Amino acid sequence: MELYGIYSAAQAYFRTTPKDLTLAQAAYLTVLVPNAGRYFRYEEMRPLMRVLLSRMVEDGWITQAQMDAAWQEKLQPRGWQVTYDAGGNVKTAKLVDRSAKELKAVVTTRAPHFTQQVEQELVRRFGRDVVYGSGGLRVYTTLDSKVQSAVETASREATGLPPSATLAATILNPYTGEVLGMIGQKLRGSEPPAAWNNAAQGQRQIGSTIKPLLYTTALSTGLDQSHREEDRPVSFPCTGCKNGVYEPENFEGATTYRDMTIREALDRSLNLVTVRLADRIGLQTFFGKIRELGLQTNDGTGLAAALGAVETTPVKMAASYAPFVNGGLYRTPRYITRVTDARGSVLFDVNSQPVQGKRVWTPQVAWLGLDMLRGVVNDLNEAQGGLAGRAKFGEWPVAGKTGTSNGPKDFWFVGTTPLYTGSVWVGRQQGGDMPSRGYYSGYVNAPIWRRMMELAHQGQALRQFSEPPGIQYVDAPDQQFLPNVKLAVLDPNYRDAANTEVQTDAPPPTLYRETTYRPGNDPDSLLVSLDRTTNRLATEFTPPQNIVQRRVQLEDLPGYAPDESPAPLRDEQPDPEAVKAARGVTGTTQSVPPASAP
């Protein structure tokens, strides 16, 4: 490691602390300051040390007797074997181990992506001057070593990934928002992972993992799980879409051509029912809700957002699912609990600044959404079309949802137990499609999620989800499709159970139309140009075809910083269009991706 400060130097060259340095050792280190390379030429050091000690005598800092004692000390810097005569002069000096003075890095390689996020959070909260120029900080984090080990083990054991794919995974405490474990890349043996953190920096389309948020928003407007929508082809007028219409399809075109309950539609992750439901409650209602859950819609996005045409990170997806289990409260993910400076002064203590969760659902509505998520895992087995059964482990109750973006480019599983909420993303680092056959999020991601969760839960007392008052259960209609399934419904006598205030003027049920949502002036977000191949801010050297417009939260912006000194390739000139795009000189575009897979 690079050495900074007298403490590191004392440790490196003499394995002691500054207060225990002898006068001779202190003089040696002082002479090294202008040129550390002098370490390799010990004989040249001695005359310089003598000059320094003599000046200290002249200036009255030490006595002549102290100087003589220091000169006669048989100094042995780490890695050297030196012999002296009685007068303190060097007889022989041999460098026997060039690496003896080296120290192990003070920054551990354990959980590097988590540590990276801690550093960014410190800079955002206190500024670079405090973090790097105040003599050091003592930082207490939310990392749980057992949970981190569970995530890392699950990553190393994940062998069924598509070719050239990597992954990201995280586990957080749904009751506090504390990130307990994180990996941003597929771990491969003892090989250090790449620096880019897909868990907290990689903006990826979330596919059908967004559907539980839509369905729960619908429940909050007064609908229940037995509400029906048509699973039939539908077309929406759409400016900017191919042939002027938006025509979503179910995954692989499978359509039942019947009305079905939204409980069954979520179990089967049907797109046609989902877009009809989104159109029914209105995009303003839906987008307003997912923004409360920490997710950011892209400008110009329409109904395709209900199928997952929204980009975010695994950490934020886990945080958006936490309200299902904690009674309806959203908390921003956090990595730090306490910070003190070098003098011990407290700069931050979460206990003195408790995080008050923002209510996004009532406890009853959150439970209804959780009940639907439990259904995705438990209602249907694989033979019946179940998508998430591979996430189950032991006796622990599990609720979660798979997701696949168009291509497929991204595989997801986001889920929760009564103890932890977590997410797993799988995809190619540089983007691009993965094989369309033989790989599915239920087969790839769910087992990874299960493995990290079963390891994290080892030794924990079994718990159940905490059900609020005001909930009743009824048999699901259409038992031939959902055998032995019971639906959670609101007790009609329980007042204020549904937060119907989120409902806006919904369109008539038979009126379908594609709309766009454009947020107003949001002071907390910014429209930026990203390089789609690196997920970092575009520069003047980014090819125009690689530039995409994305809206990101200001607090996340440092994570998208480009290379500090990007340079063009040999004989390459910046493209004028790329320069304009990188500086944000572009018009607002409207893009509606094709349908998402389950």
Side-chain angles (χ1 to χ4, degrees), residues 14 22 56 70 73 81 125 244 251 275 277 352 364 451 541:
F14 297 108
T22 67
M56 293 180 72
E73 180 180 328
Q81 288 181 353
R125 184 179 291 272
F251 181 56
V275 293
L277 185 65
S352 64
Q364 290 72 29
R451 181 58 174 155
F541 305 115

Side-chain angles (χ1 to χ4, degrees), residues 556-570:
D556 297 332
L557 199 55
Y560 295 92
D563 293 337
E564 293 184 0
S565 55
L569 298 176
R570 185 175 301 174

Side-chain angles (χ1 to χ4, degrees), residues 67-68 72 111 192 197 229 318 324 328 343 370 505 516 528-529 543:
M67 172 184 168
D68 293 342
Q72 294 173 15
N197 183 357
E229 294 286 352
F324 288 123
R343 294 175 296 277
L370 178 66
D505 295 331
T516 58
V528 299
S529 298

